[in-house]
């Protein structure tokens, strides 16, 4: 089984976006860092270890990921993409005959498979196993001081060809609503104590 790791929301301004999430939905944030050159982030912890990552461009010329994010957010804040933690990154890489890319930033080290782009999710594996990350995310959840007690992601609404999406992602622990049209992450449902919220 593959697991949803996090969802990336592209924003024009981190502070303004964090204020809006708090005001509209009661979601808190914790400081992030720079996950890739030209990009800064802030984190909305959800049911550990899943999270919503707010990402903004600091230098669109610094990396391909920054350039893609700049294009997505040119007209305003918008969902960018999502990340899946596979049960076996190396097996998936071998099946596609590609090499994972190692990287990291202020918050840890990881290996990535697939491009960080709008049209489909990428795969990520950390230097710490999923179970070992839960305690840290529980602390981050408390630090965020949410007003709405967010929990799990209830669904992902995904555009594009259904067979292509299923083949790329495989089985994942979050329901997918495949809606056709433009290949992108169109909406995310999040359970909270106030009821389900939808980020789009």
């Amino acid at each position: 089984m593959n697991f949803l790791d996090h969802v990336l929301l592209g924003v024009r301004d981190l502070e303004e976006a964090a204020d809006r999430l708090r005001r509209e939905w009661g979601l808190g944030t914790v400081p992030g860092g720079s996950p890739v050159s030209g990009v800064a982030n802030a984190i909305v912890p959800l049911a550990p270890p899943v999270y919503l990552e707010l990402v903004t461009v600091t230098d669109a010329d610094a990396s391909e990921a920054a350039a893609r994010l700049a294009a997505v957010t040119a007209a305003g804040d918008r969902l960018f993409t999502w990340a899946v933690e596979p049960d076996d990154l190396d097996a998936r890489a071998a099946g596609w005959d590609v090499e994972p890319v190692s990287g990291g930033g202020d918050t840890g080290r990881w290996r990535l498979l697939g491009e960080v782009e709008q049209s489909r999710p990428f795969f990520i594996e950390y230097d710490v196993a999923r179970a070992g990350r839960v305690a840290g995310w529980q602390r981050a959840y408390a630090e965020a001081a949410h007003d709405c007690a967010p929990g799990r992601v209830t669904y992902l609404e995904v555009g594009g060809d259904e067979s292509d999406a299923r083949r790329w992602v495989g089985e994942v622990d979050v329901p997918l609503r495949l809606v056709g049209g433009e290949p992108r992450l169109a909406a995310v449902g999040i359970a909270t104590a106030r009821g389900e919220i939808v980020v789009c």
Side-chain angles (χ1 to χ4, degrees):
M1 172 66 73
N2 302 313
F3 296 93
L4 174 66
D5 186 73
H6 65 283
V7 171
L8 290 83
L9 176 64
V11 301
R12 300 293 297 274
D13 184 285
L14 281 180
E15 185 174 350
E16 288 182 4
D19 287 346
R20 178 172 60 84
L21 293 182
R22 171 74 74 179
R23 183 176 64 253
E24 294 183 1
W25 291 320
L27 294 170
T29 59
V30 296
S34 178
V36 65
S37 295
V39 175
N41 67 359
I43 305 298
V44 180
L46 304 175
V50 177
Y51 60 99
L52 174 65
E53 180 181 12
L54 310 184
V55 286
T56 194
V57 175
T58 56
D59 182 354
D61 297 323
S63 66
E64 290 185 8
R68 294 188 193 106
L69 178 59
V72 168
T73 58
D77 296 358
R78 188 180 188 189
L79 286 169
F80 181 35
T81 190
W82 47 299
V84 175
E85 184 176 6
D87 53 3
D88 191 331
L89 187 78
D90 290 316
R92 186 173 288 268
W96 294 337
D97 195 27
V98 294
E99 285 291 327
V101 176
S102 297
D106 301 334
T107 55
R109 302 292 302 175
W110 55 78
R111 294 193 302 154
L112 299 183
L113 189 62
E115 298 292 336
V116 181
E117 61 179 338
Q118 184 183 15
S119 63
R120 61 186 184 182
F122 61 95
F123 297 89
I124 187 166
E125 178 186 81
Y126 296 91
D127 56 357
V128 177
R130 189 176 183 87
R133 302 195 306 274
V134 169
W137 280 111
Q138 288 171 334
R139 291 191 293 272
Y141 188 101
E143 181 184 344
H146 299 295
D147 297 327
C148 65
R152 63 186 178 86
V153 170
T154 54
Y155 71 91
L156 301 171
E157 185 173 290
V158 178
D161 181 80
E162 180 172 354
S163 61
D164 288 346
R166 296 288 187 192
R167 183 165 52 250
W168 177 255
V169 177
E171 294 295 323
V172 67
D173 67 332
V174 173
L176 301 183
R177 298 181 182 177
L178 298 161
V179 295
E182 179 187 3
R184 69 182 185 95
L185 179 61
V188 178
I190 300 172
T192 81
R194 297 179 179 176
E196 185 180 63
I197 61 176
V198 178
V199 181
C200 55

